[in-house]
Amino acid sequence: MGIVSLITGKAGPSGFGSASTAEQVTEGIDATNLTAIVTGGASGIGLETSRVLALCGAHVIIAARNLKAANEAKQIILKDNGAANIDVLKLDLCSMKSIREFANNFNALDLPLNMLINNAGIMFCPYQLSEDGIEIQFATNHLGHFHLTNLLLDKMKKTASDTGIEGRIVNLSSIAHIHTYEEGIRFDNINDRKGYSDKKAYGQSKLANILHANELSRRLKEEGANITANSVHPGLIMTNLFRYSGFVFKVLKVLTCLLWKNVPQGAATTCYVAVHPSLKGVTGKYFLDCNEMKPSAFARDEVLGKKLWDFSNKLVNSVEFRG
């Protein structure tokens, strides 16, 4: 899947490519009786992912910080599909307290959980710390999803065991994972302001998304759980993630216009990995344009992945203990 395929939309081994839309890659798939959580499902590719999974029959929980926007998104989906089964729950991924409250509220609904789509994210933010005192891009893009996934994992395991249906976890990463700090993850300087780069901090968080999925996949396989964990790069899509990027990226979009996708195309890889039957049992992989791709050397480093897992656990536990 090279640059020519990206520009032309030529299909890869999966039968899909960069021009494929979320509806096309899920055509004919029945997700009735399946439940999916989509973080950041109120806008952009998260909204399109929620819409298309609901179109397949899934019960979709939109997890979002802005409840007004999330409820507006619900109405957009219902206008398109009156039979859609959509619920909204509040989730602020840069707050450990909010994440735990979300997990408790979801579990109180006594629903199964078949799919967890870790979609929400922020990009190229000026330096700031989360309410828990952690660099905001690392906190939101990686650590929040790491904590959320761990809190929901028992529910996913029980659902998979009770139903015999494979559970699927999808982490949205980015090709930006290749543009990170020299050491990959700055374990000793995660909150360092002096050496902060908004671009490298974003790349670090997206590298962490892949390492998280890979290490989670390894652990789930070792345990024998019927759950897969994969990561995806949705492609270049102009969404509100670019609100911090300014003039330079607007110029870049003009210069690279042939490489950019629309939102239905941007949601395709997520939906493909979440529900397509051809990926049954496929885990610990990275996907681009609905086809498996090889990520960076850092992203394939199992030692780094295990170190990140332990580091993330310590960060979460330190925050929970303070709380």
Side-chain angles (χ1 to χ4, degrees):
M1 298 298 290
I3 192 72
V4 174
S5 297
L6 181 60
I7 294 172
T8 63
K10 181 181 178 183
S14 69
F16 304 110
S18 63
S20 301
T21 67
E23 283 197 34
Q24 288 170 342
V25 304
T26 57
E27 186 177 359
I29 293 176
D30 183 7
T32 305
N33 299 322
L34 302 184
T35 301
I37 291 174
V38 182
T39 70
S43 63
I45 59 177
L47 171 54
E48 179 67 359
T49 298
S50 299
R51 185 187 73 82
V52 171
L53 290 180
L55 198 60
C56 293
H59 181 181
V60 177
I61 311 296
I62 295 177
R65 182 172 56 180
N66 185 332
L67 288 181
K68 180 175 183 293
N71 280 299
E72 288 172 355
K74 176 180 177 178
Q75 294 307 312
I76 290 171
I77 294 171
L78 287 170
K79 185 177 181 181
D80 176 67
N81 172 18
N85 191 359
I86 305 285
D87 282 307
V88 170
L89 286 177
K90 185 175 178 60
L91 171 65
D92 184 350
L93 283 162
C94 66
S95 165
M96 294 296 156
K97 179 182 177 183
S98 175
I99 294 165
R100 183 166 287 281
E101 287 176 350
F102 172 88
N104 289 339
N105 289 336
F106 174 77
N107 287 330
L109 296 175
D110 197 27
L111 293 170
L113 181 57
N114 306 92
M115 292 172 271
L116 174 58
I117 314 297
N118 289 322
N119 163 84
I122 54 176
M123 184 169 69
F124 302 162
C125 301
Y127 180 85
Q128 58 183 301
L129 299 179
S130 71
E131 70 172 47
D132 301 311
I134 301 162
E135 188 277 308
I136 195 74
Q137 294 193 81
F138 188 82
T140 303
N141 296 347
H142 164 63
L143 196 65
H145 283 122
F146 175 85
H147 189 35
L148 177 68
T149 302
N150 283 348
L151 290 175
L152 295 174
L153 210 48
D154 283 345
K155 171 66 75 172
M156 290 198 75
K157 290 175 183 177
K158 186 176 188 307
T159 299
S161 176
D162 289 349
T163 64
I165 300 171
E166 178 182 84
R168 295 191 182 184
I169 298 169
V170 184
N171 280 3
L172 265 75
S173 180
S174 169
I175 194 68
H177 80 273
I178 66 176
H179 183 62
T180 184
Y181 294 105
E182 183 178 357
E183 61 270 50
I185 307 289
R186 300 200 308 174
F187 295 109
D188 297 327
N189 300 290
I190 205 71
N191 289 340
D192 181 32
R193 182 168 195 159
K194 184 177 180 181
Y196 180 76
S197 161
D198 58 353
K199 310 300 186 297
K200 290 182 179 180
Y202 178 69
Q204 173 181 246
S205 70
K206 295 290 100 180
L207 170 61
N209 291 148
I210 300 175
L211 290 170
H212 170 220
N214 291 351
E215 177 62 12
L216 177 59
S217 170
R218 186 190 69 79
R219 288 168 179 259
L220 290 168
K221 283 196 292 186
E222 191 175 76
E223 189 179 330
N226 188 23
I227 302 172
T228 64
N230 294 291
S231 53
V232 306
H233 169 45
L236 296 172
I237 309 107
M238 186 58 74
T239 68
N240 61 6
L241 273 181
F242 281 89
R243 62 187 177 275
Y244 294 110
S245 60
F247 177 74
V248 172
F249 271 81
K250 289 173 183 173
V251 172
L252 180 63
K253 189 189 178 188
V254 172
L255 296 176
T256 59
C257 60
L258 293 177
L259 303 180
W260 291 72
K261 297 181 178 182
N262 58 37
V263 169
Q265 292 168 339
T269 305
T270 302
C271 291
Y272 173 73
V273 175
V275 296
H276 204 279
S278 69
L279 293 186
K280 182 175 173 58
V282 176
T283 188
K285 304 299 182 182
Y286 172 70
F287 291 84
L288 167 64
D289 298 335
C290 301
N291 289 274
E292 185 183 332
M293 296 291 288
K294 184 160 72 171
S296 71
F298 273 142
R300 304 193 307 273
D301 188 331
E302 291 186 12
V303 173
L304 187 64
K306 292 175 184 177
K307 187 175 181 180
L308 175 65
W309 186 279
D310 292 340
F311 177 76
S312 302
N313 262 330
K314 286 179 182 177
L315 268 183
V316 169
N317 290 337
S318 69
V319 171
E320 293 271 273
F321 179 77
R322 290 200 309 265

Coordinates of all heavy atoms in Angstrom, one line a residue, residues 96 100 134 138 142-151 153 185 187 190 208 212 215-216 218-219 304-322:
M96 N -9.0 11.0 35.4 CA -9.1 9.6 35.9 C -10.5 9.5 36.7 O -11.1 8.4 36.6 CB -8.0 9.3 36.8 CG -6.6 9.2 36.1 SD -6.6 7.9 34.9 CE -5.3 8.6 33.8
R100 N -13.4 6.6 35.6 CA -13.9 5.6 36.5 C -15.4 5.8 36.7 O -16.2 4.8 36.7 CB -13.3 5.8 37.9 CG -13.8 4.7 38.9 CD -12.9 4.6 40.1 NE -11.6 4.0 39.8 CZ -11.4 2.6 39.7 NH1 -12.5 1.8 39.8 NH2 -10.2 2.1 39.4
I134 N -0.7 15.5 34.4 CA 0.1 14.7 33.4 C 0.0 15.5 32.0 O -1.1 16.0 31.7 CB -0.5 13.3 33.2 CG1 -0.4 12.5 34.6 CG2 0.2 12.5 32.1 CD1 -1.3 11.4 34.7
F138 N -0.5 13.0 26.2 CA -0.2 11.7 26.7 C -1.4 11.2 27.5 O -1.8 10.1 27.4 CB 1.1 11.7 27.4 CG 1.6 10.3 27.9 CD1 2.3 9.5 26.9 CD2 1.3 9.8 29.1 CE1 2.7 8.2 27.3 CE2 1.7 8.5 29.5 CZ 2.4 7.7 28.6
H142 N -3.4 8.5 25.3 CA -3.0 7.2 25.7 C -3.5 6.8 27.1 O -4.2 5.8 27.2 CB -1.4 7.1 25.7 CG -1.0 5.9 26.5 ND1 -1.3 4.6 26.1 CD2 -0.3 5.8 27.7 CE1 -0.8 3.7 27.0 NE2 -0.2 4.4 28.0
L143 N -3.1 7.5 28.1 CA -3.3 7.1 29.5 C -4.8 7.0 29.8 O -5.2 6.0 30.4 CB -2.7 8.0 30.5 CG -2.5 7.5 31.9 CD1 -1.6 6.3 31.9 CD2 -2.0 8.5 32.8
G144 N -5.6 7.9 29.3 CA -7.1 7.8 29.5 C -7.7 6.5 28.9 O -8.5 5.8 29.5
H145 N -7.3 6.2 27.7 CA -7.8 5.0 27.0 C -7.2 3.8 27.7 O -7.9 2.7 27.8 CB -7.4 5.0 25.5 CG -8.3 5.9 24.7 ND1 -7.8 7.0 24.0 CD2 -9.7 5.9 24.6 CE1 -8.9 7.6 23.4 NE2 -10.0 7.0 23.7
F146 N -5.9 3.8 28.1 CA -5.3 2.7 28.9 C -6.2 2.4 30.1 O -6.5 1.2 30.3 CB -3.9 3.1 29.2 CG -3.2 2.0 30.1 CD1 -2.6 0.9 29.5 CD2 -3.2 2.2 31.5 CE1 -1.9 0.0 30.3 CE2 -2.5 1.2 32.3 CZ -1.9 0.1 31.7
H147 N -6.5 3.4 30.9 CA -7.3 3.2 32.1 C -8.7 2.7 31.8 O -9.2 1.8 32.4 CB -7.3 4.5 32.9 CG -7.9 4.4 34.2 ND1 -7.7 3.3 35.1 CD2 -8.6 5.3 35.0 CE1 -8.3 3.5 36.2 NE2 -8.9 4.7 36.2
L148 N -9.3 3.4 30.8 CA -10.7 3.0 30.4 C -10.7 1.5 30.0 O -11.6 0.8 30.4 CB -11.2 3.9 29.3 CG -12.5 3.5 28.7 CD1 -13.6 3.9 29.7 CD2 -12.8 4.3 27.4
T149 N -9.8 1.1 29.2 CA -9.8 -0.3 28.7 C -9.6 -1.2 29.8 O -10.3 -2.3 29.9 CB -8.6 -0.5 27.7 OG1 -8.8 0.5 26.6 CG2 -8.6 -1.9 27.1
N150 N -8.7 -1.0 30.8 CA -8.5 -1.8 31.9 C -9.8 -2.0 32.8 O -10.2 -3.0 33.2 CB -7.4 -1.4 32.8 CG -6.0 -1.7 32.2 OD1 -6.0 -2.5 31.2 ND2 -5.0 -1.1 32.7
L151 N -10.5 -0.8 32.9 CA -11.7 -0.8 33.7 C -12.9 -1.6 33.1 O -13.7 -2.1 33.8 CB -12.2 0.6 34.0 CG -11.3 1.4 35.0 CD1 -11.8 2.8 35.1 CD2 -11.3 0.8 36.4
L153 N -12.3 -4.2 30.8 CA -11.9 -5.5 30.3 C -12.6 -6.7 30.9 O -12.9 -7.6 30.1 CB -10.4 -5.6 30.6 CG -9.5 -6.4 29.6 CD1 -9.8 -6.0 28.1 CD2 -8.0 -6.3 29.9
I185 N 9.4 7.0 24.0 CA 8.6 7.4 25.1 C 9.5 8.0 26.1 O 10.4 7.4 26.6 CB 7.7 6.3 25.7 CG1 7.0 5.5 24.6 CG2 6.8 6.8 26.8 CD1 5.8 6.2 24.0
F187 N 9.9 8.4 29.3 CA 9.4 7.9 30.7 C 9.9 8.8 31.8 O 9.2 9.0 32.8 CB 9.9 6.5 30.9 CG 9.3 5.5 29.9 CD1 10.1 4.9 29.0 CD2 8.0 5.1 30.0 CE1 9.6 3.9 28.1 CE2 7.4 4.2 29.2 CZ 8.2 3.6 28.2
I190 N 8.1 12.8 31.2 CA 6.8 12.9 30.5 C 6.2 14.2 30.6 O 5.4 14.7 29.8 CB 5.9 11.7 31.1 CG1 4.8 11.4 30.0 CG2 5.2 12.1 32.4 CD1 5.4 10.6 28.8
A208 N 2.3 5.3 21.7 CA 1.8 4.7 22.9 C 0.5 3.9 22.6 O 0.3 2.8 23.1 CB 1.6 5.7 24.0
H212 N 0.3 0.0 23.3 CA -0.7 -0.5 24.2 C -1.5 -1.6 23.6 O -1.7 -2.6 24.3 CB -1.6 0.7 24.6 CG -2.9 0.3 25.3 ND1 -4.1 0.9 25.0 CD2 -3.1 -0.6 26.3 CE1 -5.0 0.3 25.8 NE2 -4.4 -0.5 26.6
E215 N 0.7 -4.8 23.4 CA 1.0 -5.5 24.7 C -0.3 -6.1 25.3 O -0.4 -7.2 25.8 CB 1.6 -4.5 25.7 CG 1.8 -5.0 27.1 CD 2.8 -6.2 27.2 OE1 3.5 -6.5 26.2 OE2 2.8 -6.9 28.3
L216 N -1.4 -5.3 25.1 CA -2.7 -5.9 25.5 C -3.1 -7.2 24.7 O -3.5 -8.1 25.3 CB -3.8 -4.8 25.3 CG -5.3 -5.2 25.6 CD1 -5.4 -5.6 27.0 CD2 -6.2 -4.1 25.2
R218 N -1.0 -9.3 23.5 CA -0.1 -10.4 24.0 C -0.7 -10.9 25.3 O -0.7 -12.2 25.5 CB 1.3 -9.8 24.2 CG 2.3 -10.9 24.6 CD 3.6 -10.2 25.1 NE 3.5 -9.5 26.3 CZ 3.5 -10.1 27.5 NH1 3.6 -11.5 27.6 NH2 3.4 -9.4 28.6
R219 N -1.1 -10.0 26.2 CA -1.6 -10.5 27.4 C -3.0 -11.3 27.3 O -3.2 -12.3 28.0 CB -1.8 -9.3 28.4 CG -0.5 -8.7 28.9 CD -0.7 -7.3 29.5 NE 0.6 -6.8 30.0 CZ 1.0 -6.9 31.3 NH1 0.2 -7.4 32.2 NH2 2.1 -6.4 31.7
L304 N 9.7 -2.2 24.9 CA 9.2 -0.9 25.1 C 7.7 -0.9 25.5 O 7.3 -0.2 26.3 CB 9.4 -0.1 23.8 CG 9.1 1.4 23.9 CD1 10.0 2.1 24.9 CD2 9.2 2.1 22.5
G305 N 7.0 -1.9 24.8 CA 5.6 -2.0 25.1 C 5.3 -2.5 26.5 O 4.4 -1.9 27.2
K306 N 6.1 -3.4 27.0 CA 6.0 -3.9 28.4 C 6.3 -2.7 29.4 O 5.7 -2.6 30.4 CB 6.8 -5.1 28.6 CG 6.4 -6.3 27.9 CD 7.3 -7.5 28.1 CE 6.9 -8.7 27.2 NZ 7.8 -9.8 27.3
K307 N 7.4 -2.0 29.1 CA 7.8 -0.9 29.9 C 6.7 0.2 30.0 O 6.4 0.7 31.0 CB 9.1 -0.3 29.4 CG 9.7 0.8 30.3 CD 11.1 1.2 29.8 CE 11.7 2.3 30.8 NZ 13.0 2.8 30.3
L308 N 6.1 0.5 28.8 CA 5.0 1.5 28.8 C 3.8 1.0 29.6 O 3.2 1.8 30.3 CB 4.5 1.7 27.4 CG 3.3 2.6 27.2 CD1 3.6 4.0 27.7 CD2 2.8 2.6 25.8
W309 N 3.5 -0.3 29.6 CA 2.4 -0.9 30.3 C 2.6 -0.7 31.8 O 1.7 -0.2 32.5 CB 2.3 -2.4 30.0 CG 1.1 -3.0 30.7 CD1 0.9 -3.4 32.0 CD2 -0.2 -3.3 30.1 NE1 -0.3 -4.0 32.2 CE2 -1.0 -3.9 31.0 CE3 -0.7 -3.1 28.8 CZ2 -2.3 -4.3 30.8 CZ3 -2.0 -3.5 28.5 CH2 -2.8 -4.1 29.5
D310 N 3.8 -1.0 32.3 CA 4.1 -0.8 33.7 C 4.1 0.6 34.1 O 3.6 1.0 35.2 CB 5.5 -1.5 34.0 CG 5.5 -3.0 33.9 OD1 4.4 -3.6 33.9 OD2 6.6 -3.6 33.7
F311 N 4.7 1.5 33.3 CA 4.7 2.9 33.5 C 3.3 3.5 33.6 O 3.0 4.3 34.5 CB 5.5 3.6 32.4 CG 5.6 5.1 32.5 CD1 6.4 5.7 33.4 CD2 4.8 5.9 31.7 CE1 6.5 7.1 33.5 CE2 4.9 7.3 31.7 CZ 5.7 7.9 32.7
S312 N 2.5 3.1 32.7 CA 1.1 3.6 32.7 C 0.3 3.1 33.9 O -0.4 3.9 34.5 CB 0.4 3.1 31.4 OG 1.1 3.5 30.2
N313 N 0.5 1.9 34.3 CA -0.1 1.4 35.5 C 0.3 2.2 36.8 O -0.5 2.5 37.6 CB 0.2 -0.1 35.8 CG -0.9 -1.0 35.3 OD1 -2.0 -0.7 35.3 ND2 -0.5 -2.2 34.8
K314 N 1.6 2.5 36.8 CA 2.1 3.3 38.0 C 1.5 4.7 38.0 O 1.1 5.2 39.0 CB 3.6 3.3 37.9 CG 4.3 2.0 38.3 CD 5.8 2.1 38.2 CE 6.5 0.8 38.5 NZ 8.0 0.9 38.4
L315 N 1.4 5.3 36.8 CA 0.8 6.6 36.7 C -0.7 6.6 37.2 O -1.1 7.5 37.9 CB 0.9 7.1 35.3 CG 2.1 8.0 34.9 CD1 2.0 8.5 33.5 CD2 2.3 9.2 35.8
V316 N -1.4 5.6 36.6 CA -2.8 5.5 37.0 C -3.0 5.3 38.5 O -3.8 6.0 39.2 CB -3.5 4.4 36.2 CG1 -4.9 4.1 36.8 CG2 -3.6 4.8 34.7
N317 N -2.2 4.4 39.0 CA -2.3 4.1 40.4 C -1.9 5.2 41.3 O -2.5 5.5 42.4 CB -1.4 2.8 40.8 CG -2.0 1.5 40.2 OD1 -3.1 1.4 39.9 ND2 -1.1 0.6 40.0
S318 N -1.0 6.0 40.9 CA -0.6 7.2 41.7 C -1.7 8.2 41.7 O -1.9 8.8 42.8 CB 0.7 7.8 41.1 OG 0.5 8.4 39.9
V319 N -2.4 8.4 40.6 CA -3.5 9.3 40.6 C -4.7 8.8 41.4 O -5.3 9.6 42.2 CB -3.9 9.6 39.1 CG1 -5.2 10.4 39.1 CG2 -2.8 10.3 38.4
E320 N -5.0 7.5 41.3 CA -6.1 6.9 42.0 C -5.8 7.0 43.5 O -6.8 7.2 44.3 CB -6.3 5.5 41.5 CG -6.7 5.3 40.1 CD -8.2 5.3 40.0 OE1 -8.9 4.3 40.1 OE2 -8.8 6.4 39.7
F321 N -4.6 6.8 43.9 CA -4.2 6.8 45.3 C -4.4 8.2 45.9 O -4.9 8.4 46.9 CB -2.8 6.3 45.5 CG -2.3 6.4 46.9 CD1 -2.7 5.3 47.8 CD2 -1.5 7.4 47.4 CE1 -2.3 5.3 49.1 CE2 -1.1 7.4 48.7 CZ -1.5 6.4 49.6
R322 N -4.0 9.2 45.1 CA -4.2 10.6 45.5 C -5.6 11.0 45.6 O -6.0 11.7 46.5 CB -3.5 11.6 44.5 CG -2.0 11.6 44.5 CD -1.5 12.8 43.9 NE -2.0 13.2 42.6 CZ -1.5 12.9 41.4 NH1 -0.4 12.2 41.4 NH2 -2.1 13.3 40.3

